Amino acid sequence: MADLQKDYPWTKSPLVSCGPMRLVALSKLATEVSAAGGLGFIGIGNDASTMEDELEKAKQQAAQSNTLRDHKDVLPVGVGFLLWAGDKLLEEALPILKKYKPAAVWLFAPTEPGQLVRWTESTRQATGGKTKIWVQLSTVGDALEVTRICQPEVLVVQGTDAGGHGLEKCAGLVPMLPEIDDAVTALCEEQKLRKPYIVAAGGIMDGRGAAAAIALGASGVTMGTRYLAAPEANIAQGYRDAVLRASDGGVTTERGKLYDTLRGTTDWPLRYGGRGVLNESHRDAAKGMSMDENKRLYDEAVKKGDDGWGQNARLTTYAGAGVGLVKQIKSAKGITEEVREDAKRILSRAASRL
Ligand SMILES: Cc1cc2nc3c(=O)[nH]c(=O)nc-3n(C[C@H](O)[C@H](O)[C@H](O)COP(=O)(O)O)c2cc1C
């Protein structure tokens, strides 16, 4: 049995997971990913008001799934939180974590490292250690600190190509993942700590990306942008169409703070920005349009519904640099199985060529 499968026994190797995309990855997407032998994360984000409802739905959906119904020890999905929301979120989430015991919590974007410690300790206490701790990060320094202070089960190493929020300043997966792996291995040997598994995120769109991540040292992968093309992702058709139409993400996407400002989500710590497809809002901001006017036009565009998205429209289209590889709508189950099986095939074909 491959390593991660011991903790998530319904999953198949290599582990394929969907990121906890706030407002986008809800119970439907998460349980479909898990039912396909992956691990789906529900994005609770910074607001626990819908958490109990989503976990109850996930429980009902898991009970209907041949793959998941026998795994009653934990709820076979994960739940993701944005820690900058503060300790009130933790207080609200804890009783629900205790009640449902999801397989994992995904912690991201703290304002200070102490928050990670409080979330880790309280979650472990609330669920008797059944809920594993995943922490998403993007630097060697953060990986060492998080390993030392939290000893999470999983480090999600997020490269700069990732869609949605990530560090404004960080490297791509190819150099970053092995450097983090080496540094964390050395730390764990020196301090006699259990080494966390590494899961790769950022720019992985298909089996080729997943195979590359595994070759770099990852035990599994997380995808966000690719799952935007799944009907189970909770997004408007206009958003999905804009993702399917976009290509050449190195020049057509950018990470920045413009959409947080336009949408009023200004609580993110300074070092984070969101990567999305460039459009009229970006071009106008670059030409010097005032934020007030840009916001007025943004609010107007919201009223247009699906026509508000696209490279010549204005609405937020968070997506990663790999967006050009997302070409067709496919079920979450289909994506999860395709990426896992293609990765295995590619790795064994590559090995046979050497
Ligand atoms: C639309 C969108 C929303 C996201 N929202 C969150 C979030 O709320 N919390 C989080 O930890 N990560 C979030 N992410 C980042 C993902 O967890 C993951 O790091 C990223 O999607 C991986 O890169 P990829 O998009 O190239 O697959 C989001 C990503 C996307 C595309």
Side-chain angles (χ1 to χ4, degrees):
M1 190 188 277
D3 299 337
L4 277 167
Q5 279 58 49
K6 288 183 195 131
D7 287 338
Y8 320 101
W10 65 90
T11 64
K12 295 182 183 160
S13 182
L15 185 83
V16 174
S17 59
C18 77
M21 297 176 277
R22 186 176 79 98
L23 307 174
V24 174
L26 304 182
S27 61
K28 185 78 188 130
L29 178 64
T31 45
E32 285 296 315
V33 171
S34 288
L39 178 58
F41 279 87
I42 297 172
I44 294 302
N46 57 325
D47 174 7
S49 59
T50 57
M51 182 176 165
E52 181 150 17
D53 197 32
E54 286 304 318
L55 293 196
E56 182 58 36
K57 281 195 247 168
K59 189 177 165 185
Q60 305 297 333
Q61 287 153 8
Q64 307 290 319
S65 153
N66 290 338
T67 320
L68 302 176
R69 71 162 64 96
D70 295 334
H71 296 283
K72 296 207 164 69
D73 204 31
V74 291
L75 184 65
V77 291
V79 194
F81 299 97
L82 297 170
L83 271 57
W84 51 254
D87 285 355
K88 184 168 171 281
L89 178 65
L90 174 60
E91 280 162 32
E92 288 168 2
L94 270 181
I96 311 172
L97 291 173
K98 187 172 180 175
K99 179 171 172 192
Y100 288 93
K101 299 185 180 51
V105 294
W106 168 301
L107 310 178
F108 185 44
T111 46
E112 44 96 17
Q115 284 185 314
L116 287 166
V117 177
R118 291 196 288 283
W119 273 85
T120 302
E121 288 175 353
S122 331
T123 301
R124 285 184 172 144
Q125 199 178 21
T127 71
K130 288 187 174 173
T131 300
K132 306 299 178 202
I133 309 295
W134 292 40
V135 181
Q136 180 168 250
L137 43 78
S138 301
T139 69
V140 176
D142 285 351
L144 289 174
E145 182 170 42
V146 166
T147 303
R148 205 178 305 117
I149 64 178
C150 296
Q151 293 160 48
E153 278 77 21
V154 171
L155 295 176
V156 183
V157 175
Q158 186 199 44
T160 189
D161 293 317
H165 284 80
L167 284 193
E168 294 254 14
K169 214 166 174 237
C170 70
L173 278 177
V174 173
M176 180 166 54
L177 195 147
E179 190 178 350
I180 287 181
D181 196 9
D182 287 353
V184 169
T185 303
L187 173 75
C188 291
E189 278 171 10
E190 185 196 298
Q191 301 202 358
K192 311 232 173 317
L193 303 173
R194 183 180 34 77
K195 193 188 157 202
Y197 298 116
I198 292 183
V199 166
I204 299 166
M205 301 291 137
D206 56 24
R208 293 169 293 185
I214 286 152
L216 292 170
S219 299
V221 299
T222 293
M223 295 182 295
T225 301
R226 176 74 196 273
Y227 282 114
L228 296 176
E232 295 89 347
N234 183 44
I235 58 174
Q237 192 54 43
Y239 182 173
R240 189 172 284 116
D241 289 344
V243 168
L244 291 168
R245 275 201 302 268
S247 62
D248 211 0
V251 283
T252 59
T253 72
E254 199 173 276
R255 187 175 296 293
K257 300 190 194 309
L258 178 64
Y259 283 106
D260 284 330
T261 312
L262 291 175
R263 302 196 322 163
T265 43
T266 49
D267 293 332
W268 278 88
L270 252 190
R271 56 185 196 143
Y272 294 88
R275 181 181 289 282
V277 180
L278 297 172
N279 60 15
E280 283 293 312
S281 301
H282 282 95
R283 283 191 286 277
D284 285 341
K287 279 190 232 144
M289 179 184 276
S290 75
M291 198 51 81
D292 281 351
E293 177 61 1
N294 211 336
K295 186 159 175 36
R296 190 187 66 75
L297 293 173
Y298 190 90
D299 294 342
E300 285 291 307
V302 172
K303 296 180 197 150
K304 290 188 183 168
D306 288 335
D307 293 338
W309 279 276
Q311 297 195 14
N312 296 318
R314 308 196 77 83
L315 297 184
T316 317
T317 311
Y318 282 139
V323 68
L325 289 165
V326 185
K327 298 242 185 286
Q328 57 172 18
I329 293 177
K330 192 166 189 171
S331 69
K333 176 172 183 281
I335 292 171
T336 307
E337 289 171 349
E338 174 213 294
V339 171
R340 181 176 65 230
E341 296 311 315
D342 280 358
K344 278 200 289 201
R345 224 180 348 260
I346 290 163
L347 287 167
S348 64
R349 200 175 56 210
S352 72
R353 282 210 210 106
L354 302 173

